């Protein structure tokens, strides 16, 4: 899909055509201009030539869970990126009241990539293992959301994308301009109209990005990939920690909180024998005891080097944090069976063998 010529094509048309085109693209999710019945035929034909809408993608469905789908999107220059749709069903049973129908509601979250590859090379993450290719444009970020919106429509699901997490391939804050441009586009009531509160961005700790986001006056959620409660271990796991100490990272986060009043989530991967001991939990608790801090424990999805902590260990670790009155949640890990889970997005087609 390439709509960079849209303004140009519509330049001589009445002004309302632009709103009509936006509605067709980002609310009706047409995949062919022929479907935009509100536009005159000659214009549709011109648009079809100048603004191609096709998105080259392959979708991988989960055989088992039917909860997450991964798509590999091939960009115009041949780079392959990954994006994931996570569908959470909230089937509400009618509390035993006879005759009342079971209510079904689903929440659809899309995980988007912000770069092709990633330069940060965290030791536990599959994306970094293949190196960095390039930054994505805002259009390429938005295209991932459009892709899944079209997908839901084609599947006959009368559902929309509710949440977007910038937790796919890449480091959003190393592509700040395009990331923020994509956020504003997604927020725009004339296009995707998804509120900032429904968007979350995760950073490995790019201080400049945290600082800039604090100045945006956006209600987007911020998450920090922490993964270690001391500098030594963090430097082992994440090369970026050699650049910024935990002291500097927390200072940037505290400034962000002072400026925005918003809660910050700290992501903590649970890696067997590496960061999941009782003393790690206590060390983490000491760091987390601040207002508006929230710890999120993430079951590690094996990517080669480490092993995952078992469920019992995660529960114990959580208990220690709770005992210290640290707000803590455990992330559900969808998509592990299709290599679509956090940190498993490598942009490599060979991953499909997992299906
Ligand atoms: N670069 C950003 C966003 C991409 S990663 C960041 O580092 O935050 C999104 C989340 O997935 C991060 O919390 C990341 O640490 C986590 N993650 C990476 N590898 C993982 C793995 N193997 N298993 C589970 N989560 C992983």
């Amino acid at each position: 899909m390439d709509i960079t010529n849209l303004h140009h094509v519509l330049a001589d048309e009445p002004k309302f055509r632009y709103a009509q085109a936006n509605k067709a693209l980002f609310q009706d999710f047409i995949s062919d201009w022929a479907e935009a019945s509100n536009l005159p035929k000659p214009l549709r034909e011109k648009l079809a030539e100048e603004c191609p809408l096709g998105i080259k993608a392959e979708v991988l469905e989960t055989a088992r869970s039917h909860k997450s789908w991964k798509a590999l999107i091939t960009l115009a220059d041949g780079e392959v990126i990954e994006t994931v749709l996570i569908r959470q069903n909230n089937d509400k049973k009618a509390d035993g009241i006879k005759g009342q129908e079971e209510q079904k509601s689903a929440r659809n979250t899309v995980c988007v990539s912000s770069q092709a590859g990633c330069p940060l090379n965290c030791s536990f993450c599959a994306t970094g293992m293949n190196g960095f290719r390039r930054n994505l444009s805002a259009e390429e970020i938005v295209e991932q959301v459009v892709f899944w919106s079209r997908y839901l429509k084609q599947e006959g699901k009368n559902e929309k994308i509710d949440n977007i997490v910038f937790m796919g391939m890449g480091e959003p804050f190393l592509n700040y301009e395009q990331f923020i441009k994509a956020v504003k586009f997604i927020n725009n009531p004339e296009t995707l109209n998804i509120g900032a509160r429904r968007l979350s961005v995760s950073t490995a700790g790019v201080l400049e990005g945290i600082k800039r986001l604090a100045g945006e006056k956006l209600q987007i959620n911020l998450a920090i990939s922490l993964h270690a409660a001391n500098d030594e271990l963090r430097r082992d796991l994440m090369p970026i920690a050699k650049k910024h100490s935990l002291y500097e990272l927390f200072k940037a986060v505290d400034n962000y909180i002072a400026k925005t009043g918003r809660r910050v989530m700290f992501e903590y991967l649970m890696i067997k024998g590496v960061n999941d001991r009782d003393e790690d939990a206590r060390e983490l608790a000491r760091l987390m005891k601040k207002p508006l801090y929230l710890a999120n424990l993430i079951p590690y999805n094996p990517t080669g080097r480490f092993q995952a902590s078992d469920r019992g260990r995660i529960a114990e670790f959580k208990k220690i944090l709770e005992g210290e009155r640290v707000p803590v949640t455990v992330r559900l890990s969808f998509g592990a069976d299709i290599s679509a889970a956090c940190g498993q997005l490598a942009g490599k087609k060979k991953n499909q063998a997992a299906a």
Side-chain angles (χ1 to χ4, degrees), residues 253-265:
V253 171
D254 289 340
N255 280 334
Y256 170 90
I257 291 177
K259 245 185 155 167
T260 62
R262 297 191 66 77
R263 200 169 187 192
V264 172
M265 181 190 275

Side-chain angles (χ1 to χ4, degrees), residues 124-125 166-168 170-172 202-204 225 227 267 269 298-301 303 342-343:
F124 44 78
C125 176
F166 288 79
M167 295 186 186
E171 168 54 50
S202 176
T203 179
S225 288
H227 308 321
E267 298 161 287
L269 271 180
I298 309 177
Y300 169 64
N301 294 307
T303 55
C342 307

Side-chain angles (χ1 to χ4, degrees), residues 154-172:
Q154 277 152 18
E155 293 289 296
K157 299 212 166 34
N158 187 21
E159 292 168 20
K160 295 248 169 325
I161 303 301
D162 309 291
N163 298 294
I164 297 169
V165 295
F166 288 79
M167 295 186 186
M169 297 168 81
E171 168 54 50

Side-chain angles (χ1 to χ4, degrees), residues 47-62:
L47 284 165
E49 234 166 72
E50 302 265 340
C51 303
L53 296 188
I55 301 173
K56 202 171 156 197
E58 277 175 67
V59 176
L60 203 63
E61 281 190 57
T62 45

